[in-house]
Amino acid sequence: VVYKRLGGVESVIAKAGSVTYTKGEWFSLGVRARGPVFEVFVDGASVLGFTDADLTSGKVGVGTRECAGAWFDDVEVSIPDPVLTDGFTDSQMGWAVSHFDAYDNNPQPPEWDESDGVLSMMGPSTRGTAAWTGSTTWTDYVVASRILSNDNDDVGVVVRFQGDDDH
């Protein structure tokens, strides 16, 4: 499922049908953004294409939606050459964190941590949380990450992040 938040309002803009991941197993997820055209890849295979012209540039990130725990590794952004490669080996959280919407009966936000070579999100199930980095001027790029979740809810990459209300 591809979500968009514009002016603080969230909507579903595309669905990939029967694409799933196995809880507790690593998988790769990537998104290519070129102008208004997007293509989503799971483990190297193209699974979804869609168009959306609302956000034309922005930062990148990784995030979850209603998920209790996820790990992200080997995040790479290419424009067309790699401009960001993060294997999370320096144990210094260089990514900013945002939380969206209300927490499900829990006032404590989830915790993001960079250690042991991965970026992790652990905590209460939330409507949405993301860690992001990069430049709001990035336009056409590919972002990819290896992802592991201990939950069967939404995990993924974030493209064209302009702020908490626009991504």
Side-chain angles (χ1 to χ4, degrees):
V1 177
V2 177
Y3 299 96
K4 173 174 68 177
R5 179 177 289 272
L6 196 59
V9 177
E10 184 177 276
S11 60
V12 173
I13 58 172
K15 291 185 179 184
S18 64
V19 175
T20 61
Y21 66 89
T22 302
K23 180 171 66 171
E25 292 184 15
W26 285 97
F27 69 98
S28 296
L29 178 67
V31 176
R32 177 184 297 133
R34 286 193 180 140
V37 178
F38 296 82
E39 188 171 11
V40 179
F41 298 86
V42 175
D43 290 329
S46 176
V47 297
L48 177 65
F50 64 96
T51 60
D52 186 86
D54 286 330
L55 297 171
T56 59
S57 65
K59 299 178 181 187
V60 300
V62 293
T64 68
R65 189 173 182 275
E66 298 181 5
C67 182
W71 294 261
F72 303 89
D73 196 12
D74 300 331
V75 175
E76 182 172 296
V77 179
S78 301
I79 313 177
D81 297 320
V83 294
L84 170 76
T85 302
D86 202 333
F88 304 108
T89 57
D90 59 9
S91 298
Q92 294 182 14
M93 182 70 173
W95 292 50
V97 173
S98 295
H99 307 292
F100 318 110
D101 290 337
Y103 294 95
D104 298 336
N105 300 318
N106 192 329
Q108 297 297 317
E111 293 185 25
W112 286 86
D113 180 55
E114 183 179 330
S115 62
D116 298 325
V118 297
L119 177 63
S120 62
M121 186 287 300
M122 297 298 294
S125 178
T126 67
R127 291 288 296 154
T129 184
W132 46 270
T133 192
S135 170
T136 57
T137 64
W138 288 353
T139 55
D140 297 349
Y141 54 78
V142 176
V143 59
S145 177
R146 286 185 345 112
I147 302 172
L148 173 91
S149 177
N150 66 358
D151 199 331
N152 62 353
D153 291 310
D154 298 335
V155 295
V157 296
V158 179
V159 296
R160 298 192 173 159
F161 184 94
Q162 290 288 327
D164 289 355
D165 288 336
D166 296 303
H167 56 272

